[in-house]
Amino acid sequence: MWKRRTLGLLFIGIVCFMLLLARLMQIQLFKTEAFSKHNVNLLEESVKQRTQELVIDNGRGNFLDRSGDPLTHKKATVLVLFPFLKKMDWDVESVAEITRIPKDSLLTSIETAKKPFAYGEPDPVELSSFQMDRINGLKIPGVFAVEKKFERTEVPAEQLLGLTGENAEELKKRYPDKELSEKTLIGVSGLEESFDEFLLPEGKSKLVYHVDGGGAPLFGINVKYVDPANPFYPVNIRTTIDKTLQQRAENLVDQYQIRKGGLVLLDLQDNSVLALVSRPAINKKAPYDGIGISNQMVKQQIVGSVFKTVVAAAAIEQNLDNPNRLYNCSKKINGKPELKYDYGMLNITESFARSCNRTFGELAKELQKMNLNALEQTASKLSLIDSVGWQGDIYHTSDFKQLPDEDKGRVFISDEARHDANFAAMSGIGQHEVRATPLAVANMMATIARGGQKEMVSVVSKIEYKNGTTMADFSKKNLKGDIISPYTAMKLQKLLREVVLNPNGTGRWFKELPYEVAGKSGTAETGKFLNGKQLHNKWFAGYFPYKQPKYALVTVNLDVPDNEGGVNLLFADMVKMLYEENN
């Protein structure tokens, strides 16, 4: 009996020992970098307990402007000091002489430090390459001059580029087959989100030293430089943004106190975004609260009279643009007297220049009788209601979208509205259910300027490896679907130019600009009220120079009273700025 009991206890002991051994093997051999469901890196955590470190680069990919200048960060050569210096004698006089930082300031900063730091953070003192070489030549343990990556506090085109954050659950959902630390940053909006898979870090670059329980150095005072040492990663996303133009555009938008709205500037040569400003800005203290995180330039808005461009195009294609036909612009679209905008009898060219609602309400109803889908089909031909952001197959990804959060536009929601003559008239002036994004409006102007050819809009030109070679190119692509005829495009170009040339045109303010402008204004009722006042969306959309187009530009101020605007002045100043840049 006692033998069986002893054998039983021995068996249980062996089983427990084997389970413990298996657990130890799991922890120390097999799951060292992704332990438990939280993917804890045990090696990193064990090292953290006995080391102090300064992260030089978090390893996530970077965004550059079209010239290769960093947008979301800057790299600066800085003086790095380690806190163990307070416990040793070191040549502070030489460091002070080389860096031109007072000796007492250096000693004071170290005395209060508990971890390694770049001197002067968050606004560190930048060193030259000559100073860096001299500092490192001193070979003082705990004193280094290194190039460190700093995140910018003010990021240009911040809604377009987007935000990052830590979210362990979302990380696992996106990348179930990757072993990533829970602390890995992921993109949560904008290009940070759409390009997230390319931007994931391979590891951090950092300076590390070992400490005892009191923070004193272990194993002497050797500091190690830790780097993933991958010549290809992290990658750089080269955007089409011109950083200088972007910053100047943002200053102008704020100068004209556009609280909700912004602008889109396209380069017609490759149909890329040169500058994009969205307001309100992101709230730095609570970035996910409110609408600041949303890029208003890719969200559908009520476009108002800008949509008359579509009606004019449809009328031209259906031979309804008889120049001798006159419209009674002393009446509203419902037939009642027009007291505010009493223009008398106008032909289609005058009506477009002065933005007569009656003309385009009647034309929309006539087009509806001829073809229920005429307005929608023409809006699509002009790239107004479809997605216009670049999409296609890239690298190992099919149907990749640069702007996945881009809204589509629309003319009608319901078939009932499509059949109703009154709704057709309201749609003809860009009201009722008509919606489009400012980006699509800019692309419509670009399409007309090119003679009808409609192209995708790109905000990224290529993905580059760390060593500067190209991983993937985003080549210029046409949008699918029917297009307007060159004849229609030519007539639209003349109509848009007449808006500026006509002494009573809604764009007459732009006649004296250094570039010849063609475009269309819009004032849309939003159905919202503030202090009893109807709120409007104010637009001006156009392209320039008229004869040899280089740019398409949209300026928009959303949800403002009728007496507020700013879009004309903003448009004009952008044109002047671009002229000065090129001359």
Side-chain angles (χ1 to χ4, degrees):
M1 177 69 75
W2 65 270
K3 286 184 178 181
R4 271 188 287 171
R5 186 177 299 160
T6 302
L7 287 171
L9 291 172
L10 181 62
F11 177 75
I12 293 172
I14 291 172
V15 170
C16 290
F17 176 76
M18 294 300 292
L19 290 173
L20 179 61
L21 182 62
R23 184 63 164 170
L24 287 171
M25 291 175 68
Q26 180 190 27
I27 292 172
Q28 297 196 0
L29 296 177
F30 305 124
K31 291 289 185 178
T32 55
E33 296 184 10
F35 179 70
S36 84
K37 65 180 181 180
H38 299 296
N39 285 331
V40 178
N41 190 317
L42 296 174
L43 294 177
E44 284 187 357
E45 294 303 315
S46 65
V47 169
K48 282 180 184 177
Q49 293 179 5
R50 63 179 191 277
T51 63
Q52 287 193 3
E53 65 183 39
L54 175 72
V55 175
I56 298 171
D57 191 323
N58 64 10
R60 185 169 174 84
N62 308 302
F63 287 97
L64 311 177
D65 85 339
R66 61 172 48 211
S67 299
D69 292 335
L71 288 172
T72 51
H73 71 284
K74 70 173 183 177
K75 287 189 175 180
T77 301
V78 295
L79 178 68
V80 172
L81 302 173
F82 280 71
F84 61 69
L85 287 165
K86 71 184 74 171
K87 298 182 179 181
M88 55 182 283
D89 292 326
W90 57 288
D91 190 359
V92 63
E93 288 84 3
S94 293
V95 175
E97 180 189 351
I98 294 169
T99 61
R100 299 175 185 171
I101 300 170
K103 171 185 171 181
D104 291 343
S105 182
L106 289 170
L107 292 173
T108 301
S109 65
I110 292 168
E111 202 59 43
T112 57
K114 295 182 180 179
K115 58 183 181 179
F117 64 97
Y119 178 83
E121 281 189 287
D123 187 21
V125 174
E126 295 190 29
L127 305 178
S128 67
S129 58
F130 176 70
Q131 288 173 307
M132 178 176 71
D133 291 340
R134 289 189 65 193
I135 288 292
N136 292 332
L138 296 173
K139 296 184 178 180
I140 301 174
V143 179
F144 301 91
V146 299
E147 188 179 62
K148 187 178 184 300
K149 178 180 174 180
F150 294 91
E151 302 300 322
R152 294 184 185 274
T153 53
E154 298 295 329
V155 176
E158 56 185 354
Q159 291 96 340
L160 175 65
L161 298 181
L163 300 177
T164 59
E166 292 180 11
N167 187 326
E169 186 178 339
E170 178 64 20
L171 179 71
K172 191 65 179 175
K173 180 181 174 183
R174 284 188 199 177
Y175 310 109
D177 300 325
K178 290 182 181 286
E179 294 185 354
L180 298 166
S181 164
E182 282 189 325
K183 301 292 185 181
T184 300
L185 290 175
I186 57 173
V188 295
S189 67
L191 299 181
E192 289 278 13
E193 183 176 14
S194 57
F195 284 85
D196 190 52
E197 188 172 3
F198 298 99
L199 295 165
L200 287 174
E202 292 258 313
K204 298 176 181 178
S205 299
K206 50 195 175 183
L207 295 174
V208 178
Y209 79 103
H210 299 273
V211 296
D212 60 19
L218 276 175
F219 316 123
I221 45 181
N222 293 323
V223 175
K224 291 184 177 180
Y225 175 69
V226 179
D227 182 57
N230 189 324
F232 298 105
Y233 293 91
V235 302
N236 292 316
I237 308 296
R238 189 178 286 250
T239 71
T240 63
I241 293 292
D242 181 309
K243 186 166 70 173
T244 301
L245 290 179
Q246 176 68 33
Q247 291 171 332
R248 294 178 72 180
E250 291 186 10
N251 291 338
L252 285 172
V253 167
D254 294 336
Q255 176 184 323
Y256 290 112
Q257 300 181 6
I258 294 179
R259 292 178 290 275
K260 183 182 179 184
L263 64 81
V264 178
L265 174 67
L266 300 184
D267 182 343
L268 296 187
Q269 183 176 359
D270 55 5
N271 215 46
S272 64
V273 174
L274 278 168
L276 184 150
V277 184
S278 175
R279 292 292 182 264
I282 295 175
N283 181 353
K284 301 295 189 296
K285 295 181 180 178
Y288 304 107
D289 293 346
I291 64 170
I293 193 174
S294 179
N295 185 352
Q296 297 298 317
M297 299 302 100
V298 296
K299 297 302 174 187
Q300 57 174 225
Q301 316 289 352
I302 305 173
V303 294
S305 293
V306 172
F307 190 75
K308 290 171 183 172
T309 310
V310 174
V311 181
I316 293 166
E317 297 207 322
Q318 296 297 329
N319 297 315
L320 295 178
D321 61 327
N322 183 347
N324 298 317
R325 179 182 173 183
L326 299 179
Y327 300 84
N328 189 351
C329 292
S330 294
K331 291 185 177 182
K332 298 181 178 181
I333 58 173
N334 60 8
K336 293 181 179 180
E338 175 59 80
L339 302 178
K340 187 175 181 181
Y341 304 109
D342 183 0
Y343 298 145
M345 304 299 292
L346 302 178
N347 64 13
I348 189 170
T349 301
E350 284 272 344
S351 294
F352 191 82
R354 303 188 69 174
S355 205
C356 169
N357 286 341
R358 175 74 175 183
T359 301
F360 292 92
E362 286 191 17
L363 284 171
K365 288 192 287 186
E366 291 173 23
L367 288 163
Q368 178 201 46
K369 290 179 181 178
M370 299 172 72
N371 177 0
L372 283 174
N373 301 308
L375 293 181
E376 289 161 308
Q377 289 171 353
T378 308
S380 181
K381 288 179 180 180
L382 289 167
S383 76
L384 186 66
I385 58 172
D386 304 312
S387 297
V388 299
W390 195 100
Q391 63 183 89
D393 297 340
I394 192 77
Y395 203 57
H396 301 309
T397 307
S398 59
D399 198 28
F400 177 84
K401 294 182 180 180
Q402 291 188 0
L403 298 170
D405 53 349
E406 176 195 4
D407 286 349
K408 287 186 176 182
R410 66 175 194 248
V411 179
F412 298 106
I413 296 176
S414 65
D415 199 48
E416 177 187 359
R418 196 175 286 106
H419 283 80
D420 189 292
N422 292 325
F423 288 153
M426 290 295 292
S427 300
I429 62 171
Q431 293 286 164
H432 192 50
E433 296 170 350
V434 176
R435 302 289 187 275
T437 69
L439 181 68
V441 172
N443 203 42
M444 176 176 71
M445 291 298 161
T447 300
I448 295 168
R450 275 192 300 267
Q453 181 183 342
K454 57 181 187 179
E455 299 175 0
M456 294 182 184
V457 178
S458 59
V459 291
V460 171
S461 61
K462 59 182 173 179
I463 305 173
E464 299 174 335
Y465 288 116
K466 180 181 178 180
N467 62 8
T469 58
T470 299
M471 173 195 282
D473 266 314
F474 294 91
S475 56
K476 188 162 74 168
K477 293 182 69 175
N478 290 335
L479 285 165
K480 295 179 180 178
D482 295 335
I483 61 173
I484 59 172
S485 68
Y487 174 78
T488 300
M490 179 192 68
K491 298 205 76 171
L492 287 175
Q493 290 168 2
K494 291 180 178 179
L495 286 174
L496 292 167
R497 180 62 178 153
E498 185 63 23
V499 170
V500 176
L501 293 178
N502 190 298
N504 297 306
T506 56
R508 58 188 180 276
W509 332 103
F510 307 126
K511 188 176 180 181
E512 302 303 322
L513 290 178
Y515 278 138
E516 293 183 332
V517 170
K520 183 71 187 79
S521 63
T523 300
E525 295 181 353
T526 64
K528 303 174 187 176
F529 291 83
L530 180 65
N531 299 326
K533 291 184 178 180
Q534 166 81 266
L535 298 182
H536 299 79
N537 291 345
K538 299 291 189 74
W539 299 76
F540 198 85
Y543 66 90
F544 51 92
Y546 174 63
K547 293 175 182 175
Q548 293 180 312
K550 294 177 64 175
Y551 306 104
L553 174 64
V554 167
T555 57
V556 59
N557 200 359
L558 303 168
D559 295 336
V560 292
D562 192 37
N563 61 344
E564 288 187 28
V567 293
N568 286 346
L569 294 171
L570 175 59
F571 193 101
D573 278 357
M574 286 293 296
V575 173
K576 292 174 187 175
M577 180 184 74
L578 289 163
Y579 181 82
E580 291 168 2
E581 284 283 321
N582 295 323
N583 293 279

